[in-house]
Amino acid sequence: MNQGFQRFDVTERFAEGAQFIAGSLRSGTSGRTQAVVDPATGETVYSYELAGTADVDAAVEAAGRAFPEWSGATPGERSDALHRFAAALAEDAGDLAFAESLNCGKPIKLSNEFDVPGSIDNAAFFAGAARHLEGKASGEYSPDHTSSVRREPIGVVGSIAPWNYPLQMAAWKILPAVAAGNTIVLKPAEITPLTSLLFAQAAQRAGLPDGVINIVSGAGRDAGEHLVGHPAVAMTSFTGSTGVGKRVAEIATGTVKRLHLELGGKAPFVVFDDADLEAAVHGAVAGSLINSGQDCTAATRAYVQRPLYDAFVSGVADLMATVRLGDPFDPSTDLGPLISHTQRDRVAGFVDRARAYATVVTGGEAPSAGTYSALAKGAYYRPTLIAGAAQDSEVVQSEIFGPVLVVLPFDSDDEGIALANDTPYGLAASAWSRDVYRTGRATREIKAGCVWVNDHIPIISEMPHGGAKASGFGKDMSAYSFEEYTQVKHVMYDNTAVARKDWHRTVFGDRP
C-alpha cells in the first residue's frame, strides 16, 4: 500500500503552537522552547513553547467538560464518529507520512506502508469495536436475584507516548480510550509531537466534540509527571522505558488511579535446527532493523541451535551488508537514522563496550559521507551483528534500541527456551521451526505477551499487544484493550419483593 506523501511547511502548519486543547492549537506556557529536529540532517524543522503545568490543567479541564456528553453518547454514535475519523485520517495520509518521516527519520516506505495505514486501520477497527462493549450475560447467580454487568468509561485518561512510533502510539492510546467513552489528554514525546497534533486535528474535522482529544507537548518531568499525578485524571497509560515506567507507577499510586504500562523489551528470536534457514535469516534482519531497531518488540537476541549457527551468522551478516542507508524520502532507502545523535551515541556505546568480550561481525560504526551527503550529518548507524557474547553480558541483557542483533548458540531445546526467558523482559519473542510440536512448546513456555511462529514483528488491530515481567502489564489494540479503559460494574436486582430477607437474621437476630 503506497499512499505517497506531500511536503508542507511545518512552522506554518503549527504557527499557533504545539498544544491542542479544547479543539484548538495554542502555545505552551512553560517559558521554555523545544526544537523539533530532522534526525537525517540534524536541522531544526520547528520550534515551539513547551507545555507547562497550567497547560496540563487546561487540557484536563477541557477533557472533564467533554466527558459527560461523550460518555453519554450511544455506542452507535461514538462508532459513527470514529468511522468519520478513520476517513479523515485516510485523507491526511500524505501529510501524516511526511511528518512522521521528517520528525523521526523513518524511511518514507515505512511510514507509507506501515505506520500510516496501520493507524488508519486501528481507527476503523475501534469504530466497529465501539459497538461491542459486552459484559457477562444477565442471570440468576443467586436464587433470589438477577445480576448484570455494566461496562462503563472510567473518565479522563492521561496518556504518555514515546518517540519511536509517534503516530501509531497516538492511535494506540487515544482510540480505545475514546471508543469506550472516555476523554483523553495525550502527552507525546516532546521531540516528536507533529503527527499527534495532526491526529487530533483530523478527529476534530471528523466531528468529535472539542475536548474529547487533547494534546500537551511538554517535557516528562514537568507536563508528564503533572498529568500522571493530576487528581482529575482517572487512568494513565504509559509506553516507554521500564525505568521511567517505574516512576510513572510511583506517581500514579499516589492518587490510586488505573494504570497501564507497556515498557521495554529484549525480544528473543529462537531458531531450532529444523528451521527454514533462509526464512530465519531474512526474518532476523527485518525483525532487528525495523525502525532502525527502535522498536520494543524488535528481534534483539537470536538464539540459534548449533547445527545452523555458523550458516545463520554468515547469512545475516551478508544480508545486513546489503541494507541501504540514505535519505528517508528516497523510496529506495531501507534504513533511516536513529531518532537523535544522542541515541546514536548511546547505541554506539553498547557496541564499543562489547568489543572487549564479543565479536562485531558486521557494522558497528556510523557511516561517513557517501552517496547521500547528509549521512555524515545525520544520526545514522550501520546494521550491526554481534557474536560470541555471554548470556549475562550487557548487550544480551540490556535494551539497546538500535540496529543491533546479538546471536548466541544453543544445544538442546530446553537450553534454547531457558535462554530466551533469561532476561527481566517479556514483551515479544519468535520461534522458528518446521515442527509444530516444537513451536507449540515454545509458544507455551516462552514468557512473553506475544510469540510469533516463523515470523517476527507483524501486528494487527484485532489482536492484543502488551507484555509480562518487566515489560509491563495491560494491552493495547484489540477488544482486550477495553479492559484497561472501562470500569466493570455489577448490578444486582432483588426478585422476591420480600421486605424481610432470610439473611437479615445474621444482623438483627432470630425473630418470628
Side-chain angles (χ1 to χ4, degrees):
M1 182 178 183
N2 192 333
Q3 300 156 311
F5 71 94
Q6 55 198 48
R7 297 178 187 270
F8 59 83
D9 187 308
V10 175
T11 299
E12 181 179 327
R13 178 67 67 89
F14 301 114
E16 296 169 280
Q19 318 303 325
F20 187 84
I21 299 173
S24 63
L25 290 172
R26 63 176 74 175
S27 184
T29 62
S30 70
R32 294 184 292 116
T33 301
Q34 174 67 47
V36 175
V37 176
D38 175 358
T41 64
E43 297 175 357
T44 296
V45 297
Y46 178 59
S47 293
Y48 70 94
E49 293 293 322
L50 285 163
T53 57
D55 303 302
V56 174
D57 290 341
V60 172
E61 182 182 356
R65 289 196 306 270
F67 178 73
E69 177 188 354
W70 185 248
S71 62
T74 66
E77 289 169 337
R78 290 198 294 268
S79 175
D80 288 346
L82 291 175
H83 277 298
R84 296 193 302 271
F85 187 14
L89 290 171
E91 292 173 358
D92 288 352
D95 284 354
L96 291 166
F98 168 70
E100 194 79 342
S101 287
L102 180 71
N103 200 174
C104 303
K106 296 174 187 284
I108 193 64
K109 65 179 180 180
L110 180 63
S111 294
N112 269 334
E113 300 176 26
F114 186 74
D115 298 69
V116 173
S119 299
I120 295 170
D121 182 72
N122 221 230
F125 170 80
F126 279 106
R131 290 180 177 264
H132 298 284
L133 286 168
E134 298 176 347
K136 197 170 187 177
S138 294
E140 288 65 51
Y141 301 94
S142 155
D144 295 335
H145 304 85
T146 295
S147 287
S148 65
V149 171
R150 293 177 56 86
R151 190 176 288 278
E152 299 177 344
I154 295 174
V156 175
V157 175
S159 291
I160 300 177
W163 48 255
N164 58 332
Y165 288 102
L167 176 60
Q168 289 209 37
M169 293 298 99
W172 289 15
K173 299 302 180 195
I174 290 171
L175 290 168
V178 301
N182 303 284
T183 55
I184 188 167
V185 179
L186 173 74
K187 192 202 86 66
E190 62 269 30
I191 61 175
T192 56
L194 302 183
T195 43
S196 296
L197 296 169
L198 292 174
F199 193 83
Q201 288 178 311
Q204 183 191 40
R205 287 204 329 274
L208 273 73
D210 292 347
V212 171
I213 298 173
N214 306 274
I215 308 295
V216 289
S217 305
R221 290 192 178 276
D222 301 322
E225 293 198 359
H226 190 61
L227 178 61
V228 174
H230 201 292
V233 169
M235 184 256 183
T236 289
S237 177
F238 170 80
T239 295
S241 71
T242 298
V244 177
K246 292 177 181 179
R247 174 60 179 161
V248 168
E250 290 173 0
I251 298 170
T253 300
T255 50
V256 198
K257 51 172 53 75
R258 181 81 66 89
L259 184 61
H260 164 222
L261 298 175
E262 199 265 89
L263 306 176
K266 191 70 178 174
F269 186 100
V270 183
V271 182
F272 296 100
D273 57 14
D274 66 337
D276 181 326
L277 179 62
E278 181 183 13
V281 166
H282 281 79
V285 174
S288 63
L289 299 185
I290 188 170
N291 203 39
S292 297
Q294 298 167 128
D295 187 312
C296 48
T297 63
T300 59
R301 299 178 288 139
Y303 296 103
V304 184
Q305 207 151 22
R306 207 169 292 275
L308 295 185
Y309 178 79
D310 290 340
F312 180 89
V313 171
S314 176
V316 168
D318 290 345
L319 189 55
M320 278 187 169
T322 70
V323 172
R324 298 165 297 189
L325 281 69
D327 179 354
F329 292 102
D330 182 340
S332 67
T333 292
D334 298 321
L335 195 72
L338 280 83
I339 190 64
S340 67
H341 288 81
T342 299
Q343 180 65 13
R344 192 270 311 275
D345 294 344
R346 178 180 180 277
V347 170
F350 275 102
V351 177
D352 290 344
R353 291 189 295 274
R355 296 180 196 277
Y357 55 80
T359 300
V360 177
V361 179
T362 189
E365 62 182 0
S368 57
T371 56
Y372 175 47
S373 60
L375 279 177
K377 298 179 181 178
Y380 290 89
Y381 198 77
R382 293 196 180 282
T384 300
L385 179 65
I386 296 175
Q391 175 66 13
D392 61 356
S393 63
E394 180 187 47
V395 290
V396 175
Q397 293 293 323
S398 299
E399 188 172 32
I400 299 173
F401 228 56
V404 180
L405 177 65
V406 183
V407 59
L408 298 87
F410 70 91
D411 292 304
S412 68
D413 290 15
D414 289 347
E415 181 188 12
I417 291 173
L419 291 170
N421 285 329
D422 184 29
T423 71
Y425 300 105
L427 185 59
S430 63
W432 298 73
S433 171
R434 291 183 171 95
D435 187 330
V436 67
Y437 298 104
R438 266 180 154 173
T439 57
R441 178 190 178 191
T443 62
R444 292 191 302 272
E445 296 186 12
I446 293 177
K447 306 304 180 186
C450 174
V451 181
W452 292 285
V453 176
N454 295 324
D455 207 344
H456 195 107
I457 283 297
I459 55 174
I460 51 175
S461 297
E462 292 82 359
M463 289 292 113
H465 176 87
K469 301 194 299 186
S471 293
F473 47 82
K475 299 299 179 184
D476 288 306
M477 299 203 300
S478 83
Y480 291 98
S481 66
F482 286 139
E483 300 298 328
E484 318 306 326
Y485 295 99
T486 57
Q487 176 68 44
V488 173
K489 178 188 289 184
H490 172 215
V491 179
M492 179 177 266
Y493 299 88
D494 171 61
N495 292 332
T496 67
V498 174
R500 297 176 64 177
K501 307 290 194 291
D502 184 59
W503 71 267
H504 292 176
R505 298 167 55 253
T506 64
V507 178
F508 46 79
D510 296 329
R511 308 243 177 121

